[in-house]
């Protein structure tokens, strides 16, 4: 009965959503697209220009369009550029420019060689040319260098490739792009768009420390596509990377950028990227690119199996059904319709959300180690808030191996603990700083491994996997969560979550499997303890399986999103007494569930059951669906 009632509510919400979609453009953000230089050139043909516009504009509402002047050593002629610009201005769109500094994308994304005077001048001339026609323009992904030709080798000298490229590209951005563009058009705003592989930026010259200080703005690549493909980026990155860039350049991170990659997995995978980008409260999204919106056709393969169960947040059948716009009946034909419905639907939710918050994770500039781990942690329900500087005044801070880049990291850990706060370190960081950390807690994590599948009182995993072994002195540090093979009735066990005290604070060590994806194999009871232990600054946490993310905001609202291919039962735990949770889209009031006492022992009591004064709510989420809640 409850399940049918839930489906009725979701269906009613869907009808309201589809009706609202017809009302016009967006209330809480702008939606834009981008035209590649080679496609701009094709628009010299009036028929092509008009037909593509009719296809795109009939299916998605747009506020702005970015017209690229240069890509792959090709520059759009002035006559064509002006024709296309004026066409879209007459359609009521804002118009900006774009540049991609590549010589040949098909040749492993060959960039310009910034050690060569001739190519420096070409970059400078392209910047000047673009500034003549636009008051703002974006540099697409490729303002880095991936070349190791003889000229670059000679210019590098004894420096590391990373040090050489960081200096080279920071200077190139200032001298070859910003200054020439401003000389031609003092009003021009130059924006650098950073792609999604942020943990590897420094190796190719993207300088997150310097460039955001002199470019007029930055932009964020939020494409996560297929997590099993070459980049292996987890869904959560579509949200997390925007928050990280927000903290690098507060108030100057202009928006997110999503392409059609992953749509072969289903319409839901594309929709999730758009939705997660906007959950970050970014002010604009670019739908890459205009020709994808015009030409990527809707196919039966884009309807996932889980759509059969119904009740999903992103409803394929409603998206592909004929609809009315400007008095005309339109039958959707391309992915543009998926984008439009998803963004209008998300727009209804965004206005109710405050500023995003989460567990602070310190990632120093140009740091390496445990790459992209925070996105895996986000996928097990730990809300992330990544910063390039140490953040003071928080009850808890998370440190991965990247934090070892800071030579004063142990002193910062000590001060946080002396102030009564918690520090959570990963096994990757412990390996690197164990000698310096010994002044706080004598721990060891080296090359020893264990195969585990049994978490004892915290359940079992469905598969075996490999973890690093943490060694500690008995009664100096304590295991909160353990695992073995087996643990119950077995012969050995190993820490999954370890704790120790120092001064007024508590140090935790979180064991990270050799394959980060095995975090998803941690059983729900183990994840629940980890989430509870790390929720002090968040105000709420979730209980349930992995691949469910929590997005909290500072106005006592939150979004819970299920990335599993099946429905899941969850609990939302609010760390205070509240009367109800309100569904932000339907207005439905959810009443608290009964809390049963949970037995622990000694120092573990604080990690079992529920915090004093907390309130618990039961919810169920269909596959690949979300719910917005307020308390």
């Amino acid at each position: 009965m409850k399940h049918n009632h839930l489906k009725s509510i979701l269906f009613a919400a869907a009808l309201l959503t589809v009706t609202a979609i017809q009302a016009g453009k967006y209330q809480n953000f702008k939606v834009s697209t981008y035209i590649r230089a080679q496609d701009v050139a094709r628009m010299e043909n009036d028929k092509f220009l008009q037909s593509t516009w009719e296809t795109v504009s009939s299916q998605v509402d747009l506020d702005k369009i970015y017209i690229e002047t240069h890509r792959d050593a090709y520059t759009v002629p002035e006559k064509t550029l002006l024709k296309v610009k004026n066409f879209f201005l007459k359609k009521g769109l804002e118009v900006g420019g774009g540049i991609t500094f590549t010589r040949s994308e098909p040749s492993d994304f060959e960039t310009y060689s910034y050690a060569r005077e001739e190519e420096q001048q070409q970059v400078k001339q392209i910047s000047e040319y673009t500034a003549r026609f636009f008051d703002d323009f974006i540099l697409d992904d490729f303002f880095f260098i991936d070349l190791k030709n003889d000229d670059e080798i000679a210019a590098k000298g004894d420096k590391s490739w990373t040090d050489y490229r960081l200096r080279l590209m920071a200077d190139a951005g200032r001298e070859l792009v910003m200054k020439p563009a401003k000389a031609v058009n003092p009003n021009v705003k130059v924006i650098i768009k950073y792609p999604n592989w942020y943990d590897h930026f420094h190796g190719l010259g993207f300088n997150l420390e310097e460039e955001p200080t002199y470019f007029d703005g930055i932009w964020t690549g939020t494409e996560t596509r297929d997590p099993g493909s070459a980049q292996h980026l987890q869904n959560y990155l579509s949200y997390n990377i925007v928050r990280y860039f927000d903290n690098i350049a507060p108030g100057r991170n202009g928006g997110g950028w999503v392409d059609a990659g992953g749509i072969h997995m289903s319409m839901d995978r594309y929709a999730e990227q758009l939705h997660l980008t906007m959950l970050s409260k970014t002010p604009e999204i670019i739908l890459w690119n205009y020709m994808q919106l015009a030409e990527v056709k809707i196919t039966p393969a884009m309807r996932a199996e889980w759509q059969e169960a119904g009740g999903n947040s992103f409803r394929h059948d409603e998206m592909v059904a004929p609809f009315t716009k400007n008095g005309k009946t339109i039958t959707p034909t391309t992915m543009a319709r998926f984008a439009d419905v998803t963004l209008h639907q998300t727009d209804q939710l965004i206005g109710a959300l405050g500023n995003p918050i989460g567990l602070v994770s310190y990632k120093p500039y140009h740091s390496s180690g445990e790459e992209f781990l925070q996105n895996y942690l986000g996928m097990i329900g730990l809300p992330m808030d990544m910063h390039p500087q140490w953040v003071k005044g928080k009850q808890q801070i998370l440190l991965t191996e990247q934090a070892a880049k800071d030579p004063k990291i142990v002193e910062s850990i000590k001060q946080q603990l002396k102030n009564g706060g918690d520090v959570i370190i990963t096994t990757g960081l412990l390996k690197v700083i164990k000698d310096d950390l010994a002044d706080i807690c004598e721990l060891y994590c080296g090359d020893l491994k264990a195969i585990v599948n049994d978490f004892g009182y915290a359940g079992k995993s469905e598969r075996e996997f490999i973890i690093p072994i943490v060694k500690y002195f008995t009664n100096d540090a304590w295991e909160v969560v353990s695992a073995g093979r087996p643990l119950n009735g077995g012969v050995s066990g190993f820490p999954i979550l370890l704790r120790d005290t120092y001064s007024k604070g508590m140090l935790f060590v979180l064991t990270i499997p050799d394959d980060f994806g095995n975090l998803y194999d941690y059983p729900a009871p183990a994840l629940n303890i980890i989430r509870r232990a790390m929720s002090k600054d968040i105000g709420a946490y979730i209980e349930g399986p992995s691949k469910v993310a929590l997005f909290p905001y500072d106005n006592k609202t939150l979004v819970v999103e299920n990335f599993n291919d099946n429905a899941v039962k969850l609990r939302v735990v609010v760390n205070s007494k509240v009367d109800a949770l309100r569904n932000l889209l339907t207005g439905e009031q959810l009443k608290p569930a009964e809390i049963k006492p949970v037995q622990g022992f000694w120092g573990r009591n604080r990690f079992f059951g529920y915090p004093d004064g907390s309130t618990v709510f039961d919810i169920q989420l269909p596959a690949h669906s979300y719910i917005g809640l307020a308390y």
Side-chain angles (χ1 to χ4, degrees), residues 541-569:
Y541 65 96
I542 57 174
E543 291 189 336
S546 62
K547 293 190 178 179
V548 180
L550 173 67
F551 304 91
Y553 299 83
D554 64 0
N555 66 338
K556 296 185 178 181
T557 60
L558 52 91
V559 176
V560 184
E561 187 147 356
N562 175 22
F563 298 104
N564 288 282
D565 294 349
N566 52 275
V568 296
K569 292 182 179 179

Side-chain angles (χ1 to χ4, degrees), residues 578-582 588-594 615-618:
V578 297
D579 295 330
L581 281 180
R582 177 172 55 85
E588 179 192 10
Q589 298 283 329
L590 306 179
K591 295 301 181 183
E594 180 182 355
T615 316
V616 176
F617 300 87
D618 291 327

Side-chain angles (χ1 to χ4, degrees), residues 178 182 187-192 211-212 214-218 252:
M178 287 295 292
K182 297 281 187 179
N187 296 320
V188 72
K189 305 298 182 187
V190 184
I191 302 159
I192 181 168
E211 290 168 353
Y214 65 77
F215 277 108
D216 294 304
I218 67 174
R252 296 191 301 115

Side-chain angles (χ1 to χ4, degrees), residues 449-463:
K449 307 288 184 182
I451 299 174
V452 301
N453 65 358
D454 183 2
F455 288 66
Y457 61 86
K460 291 187 177 182
S461 59
E462 294 183 358
R463 74 185 80 194

Side-chain angles (χ1 to χ4, degrees), residues 202-214:
H202 46 289
L204 285 90
F206 272 134
N207 195 322
L208 288 179
E209 185 171 17
E210 291 188 44
E211 290 168 353
T213 66
Y214 65 77

Side-chain angles (χ1 to χ4, degrees), residues 368-619:
S368 297
E370 294 183 314
E371 283 89 350
F372 306 106
L373 175 59
Q374 287 90 342
N375 301 301
Y376 290 85
L377 298 178
M379 291 290 285
I380 63 169
L382 293 174
M384 292 289 103
D385 187 16
M386 294 169 59
H387 288 257
Q389 298 96 9
W390 183 276
V391 178
K392 295 181 180 180
K394 296 294 182 179
Q395 295 183 72
Q396 296 183 305
I397 191 162
L398 168 70
L399 305 174
T400 71
E401 185 181 346
Q402 299 157 344
K405 177 78 172 180
D406 183 346
K408 297 181 180 179
I409 190 60
V410 173
E411 289 305 311
S412 295
I413 291 173
K414 284 183 179 179
Q415 194 58 56
Q416 170 79 358
L417 296 171
K418 287 179 179 179
N419 291 339
D422 295 345
V423 177
I424 303 140
I425 68 171
T426 62
T427 41
L429 179 60
L430 175 59
K431 288 180 183 180
V432 179
I433 67 168
K434 59 181 173 54
D435 292 337
D436 293 332
L437 192 69
D439 197 39
I440 297 172
C441 182
E442 293 178 298
L443 304 170
Y444 175 79
C445 185
D447 295 329
L448 295 175
K449 307 288 184 182
I451 299 174
V452 301
N453 65 358
D454 183 2
F455 288 66
Y457 61 86
K460 291 187 177 182
S461 59
E462 294 183 358
R463 74 185 80 194
E464 297 178 341
F465 53 88
I466 300 172
I467 63 169
I469 296 176
V470 178
K471 300 280 191 177
Y472 62 95
F473 289 138
T474 300
N475 290 333
D476 182 62
W478 293 79
E479 295 181 32
V480 181
V481 180
S482 310
R485 188 185 62 160
L487 183 64
N488 288 337
V491 294
S492 59
F494 310 96
I496 294 295
L497 183 65
L498 187 74
R499 67 174 179 87
D500 193 13
T501 56
Y502 180 86
S503 185
K504 305 180 194 67
M506 191 171 296
L507 176 76
F508 292 91
V509 180
L510 179 63
T511 296
I512 304 299
D514 284 15
D515 176 353
F516 297 167
N518 287 136
L519 286 165
Y520 306 156
D521 295 315
Y522 284 18
L527 293 175
N528 296 343
I529 296 168
I530 292 169
R531 294 166 184 144
R532 176 181 172 180
M534 301 180 188
S535 69
K536 289 184 179 178
D537 286 308
I538 299 166
Y541 65 96
I542 57 174
E543 291 189 336
S546 62
K547 293 190 178 179
V548 180
L550 173 67
F551 304 91
Y553 299 83
D554 64 0
N555 66 338
K556 296 185 178 181
T557 60
L558 52 91
V559 176
V560 184
E561 187 147 356
N562 175 22
F563 298 104
N564 288 282
D565 294 349
N566 52 275
V568 296
K569 292 182 179 179
L570 302 164
R571 279 195 154 179
V572 175
V573 183
V574 179
N575 295 338
S576 60
K577 284 295 183 184
V578 297
D579 295 330
L581 281 180
R582 177 172 55 85
N583 186 314
L584 291 172
L585 290 180
T586 69
E588 179 192 10
Q589 298 283 329
L590 306 179
K591 295 301 181 183
E594 180 182 355
I595 297 178
K596 296 180 180 179
V598 177
Q599 296 299 318
F601 59 91
W602 299 322
R604 281 182 172 175
N605 279 328
R606 76 191 75 180
F607 305 108
F608 284 69
Y610 301 104
D612 291 340
S614 60
T615 316
V616 176
F617 300 87
D618 291 327
I619 63 172

Side-chain angles (χ1 to χ4, degrees), residues 50-249:
Q50 185 64 38
S51 65
T52 53
W53 169 247
E54 289 174 356
T55 298
V56 172
S57 64
S58 67
Q59 295 180 94
V60 62
D61 290 323
L62 296 173
D63 298 295
K64 187 170 182 176
I65 198 155
Y66 294 86
I67 302 171
E68 191 174 73
T69 61
H70 178 89
R71 176 181 292 257
D72 282 9
Y74 171 77
T75 300
V76 180
E78 178 176 342
K79 178 184 175 183
T80 303
L81 196 63
L82 288 173
K83 174 181 180 176
V84 175
K85 175 184 175 181
N86 290 330
F87 175 86
F88 287 111
L89 285 172
K90 290 177 181 178
K91 298 300 181 183
L93 272 64
E94 298 177 44
V95 175
I99 300 174
T100 298
F101 284 117
T102 50
R103 296 192 64 82
S104 175
E105 282 186 80
S107 301
D108 294 330
F109 301 137
E110 181 187 346
T111 64
Y112 280 82
S113 182
Y114 293 89
R116 293 174 173 171
E117 175 66 26
E118 177 185 355
E119 296 191 32
Q120 289 180 14
Q121 290 305 310
Q122 290 172 347
V123 169
K124 179 173 178 288
Q125 290 165 7
I126 294 163
S127 302
E128 293 169 335
Y129 180 73
T130 306
R132 284 174 50 199
F133 302 104
F134 302 102
D135 285 336
D136 65 280
F137 65 83
I138 288 180
L139 308 185
D140 190 10
D141 281 6
F142 302 96
F143 193 63
F144 59 82
I145 183 165
D146 55 6
L147 303 174
K148 293 180 180 177
N149 57 42
D150 290 343
D151 292 318
E152 297 294 341
I153 292 170
K156 180 184 82 70
D158 294 334
K159 300 186 185 75
S160 70
W161 280 109
T162 292
D163 289 343
Y164 166 67
R165 287 170 166 177
L166 283 171
R167 181 75 272 130
L168 177 73
M169 297 310 298
D171 291 343
R174 185 183 291 106
E175 301 300 325
L176 304 180
V177 180
M178 287 295 292
K179 287 184 180 179
K182 297 281 187 179
V184 170
N185 180 358
N187 296 320
V188 72
K189 305 298 182 187
V190 184
I191 302 159
I192 181 168
K193 184 254 178 171
Y194 292 115
N196 48 16
W197 40 278
Y198 63 88
D199 259 335
H200 298 154
F201 277 178
H202 46 289
L204 285 90
F206 272 134
N207 195 322
L208 288 179
E209 185 171 17
E210 291 188 44
E211 290 168 353
T213 66
Y214 65 77
F215 277 108
D216 294 304
I218 67 174
W219 212 272
T220 309
T222 57
E223 317 96 320
T224 45
R225 307 185 183 106
D226 179 352
S229 64
Q231 291 182 308
H232 307 297
L233 300 175
Q234 303 305 292
N235 308 31
Y236 188 81
L237 180 142
S238 291
Y239 165 90
N240 189 39
I241 189 173
V242 182
R243 297 293 305 124
Y244 179 46
F245 289 174
D246 283 349
N247 291 328
I248 287 174

